[in-house]
Every structure is written in structure tokens, then in C-alpha cells.
Amino acid sequence: MADEEDLLDDGVEDDGGSSKKKGGAGGFLPSLLKWVAIGIGAIILIVVVVVITMNIMNKNGNGTVSVVPASSEYTGKREDLDWYQSIGSIQTQTVDNPPASIIVEVVFGYKTDDKAASTEITKRQIQIKNFLRQYFSSKSKSELKGVRNEEKLSMEIRNSINDDILQNSKIRDVLFLQLNVVE
């Protein structure tokens, strides 16, 4: 009979302390997965909204964004320089066949109130003129034309003069008052 009582007891729930609590370790994992899914869904939603907004703003959907130039108060201010202008005009020819004539007038910028730079440039003026004549004689017409090329020429001249000619001072900038290539 004891076996029959055990069988009958199996179908009856006991309200004692033996029932398991809901949640615990078993409820943590589904809750975590739910929040991860919500986070991924939110990221996908944000990306979709941004892509649609950018396509509407660009109207043609090519993905380019126009950049508004910064005002002068936010852009870096250029250094104030004194300018050495006594080099004069230099005339030479390009390396091309047939050669083109070049007429160039160069000025050098150096730190304001740097008397040593002005003095050294004056002392080495003949060497600088010779360097400039040789430099421009080694260039072709295509290397001398265009604004981009002028910036490149300016940097090359500045670096060469600072490295090879000047010893105690440095020039900060090189500008062309005149750069004519006559074919």
C-alpha cells in the first residue's frame, strides 16, 4: 500500500518550501538576451535613419557632403613676417626643347625683427641668385605653370636655401612677385 500512496502523492502539489522560485539564474539569460536584441535593433534603426536623412539632404543620393569653410576666427592665423625683396629679377631658360624663357622675382619671408636672417640673406645674395638661376634652369615648362606647382616650387626653394645656403638663420616662406614662362 505504501507504493499506492507514493503514486497518489505524485499528482498532488505540496505547498511546503520545496517549490522553486521563478527567476534566479534561469531567468537572467533570457533577460540579458532581450536587452542585447533591443540594443542591436536601436543601432540598426539609427543607421537606417541617418542613411535616409543623408540621401534626402543630398537629393541625388551620391553621399557627398558639402563643407562650409570655417570663418577667419577659427582658422589658424598666419605668422607675421618681414620680407627680403632685394634679390631682384632672374632670367633664364627651361630645360625643354625648344626652351622657354623664364622671368622670376622671388621674395623671402623671415621672422619679424630677425636682423640675423636679413643680414645673412644679404651676405649670401650672390649664392642665392646663382642657386635660383640653376634651379629654374633645371625645370620644364609644365613644372613651372599652375598654382599647385608654385606652392611646390616655393617649398623646394625654401628647403634648399635653408639646408644648403643659410647657416645661422632660416627663411619661413618664399613667394613669387613674378613668375613668367614665355614660350
Side-chain angles (χ1 to χ4, degrees), residues 43-60:
I43 290 172
I44 291 172
L45 178 67
I46 290 169
V47 169
V48 168
V49 168
V50 167
V51 169
I52 292 171
T53 304
M54 291 304 292
N55 285 337
I56 291 172
M57 287 177 58
N58 291 332
K59 292 183 183 175
N60 58 1

Side-chain angles (χ1 to χ4, degrees), residues 3 6 34 54-55 61 67 75 90 105 115 150 175 181:
D3 289 337
D6 285 341
K34 176 179 79 172
M54 291 304 292
N55 285 337
V67 177
T75 57
I90 296 172
E105 190 171 345
K115 302 300 179 197
E150 280 188 25
L175 295 179
V181 181

Side-chain angles (χ1 to χ4, degrees), residues 84-85 104-107 175-180:
Y84 188 88
Q85 301 180 17
V104 63
E105 190 171 345
V106 180
V107 294
L175 295 179
F176 302 105
L177 295 181
Q178 179 181 8
L179 178 58
N180 295 333

Side-chain angles (χ1 to χ4, degrees), residues 69-127:
S71 67
S72 62
E73 65 187 52
Y74 295 111
T75 57
K77 296 190 180 196
R78 293 191 67 153
E79 179 180 23
D80 288 334
L81 300 174
D82 284 340
W83 296 93
Y84 188 88
Q85 301 180 17
S86 298
I87 296 294
S89 184
I90 296 172
Q91 296 180 352
T92 188
Q93 294 183 341
T94 62
V95 74
D96 299 313
N97 192 9
S101 294
I102 304 167
I103 303 170
V104 63
E105 190 171 345
V106 180
V107 294
F108 303 118
Y110 55 91
K111 278 186 175 181
T112 303
D113 300 327
D114 186 0
K115 302 300 179 197
S118 176
T119 304
E120 188 171 11
I121 294 170
T122 302
K123 286 181 180 178
R124 301 193 184 280
Q125 185 173 359
I126 301 300
Q127 292 170 320

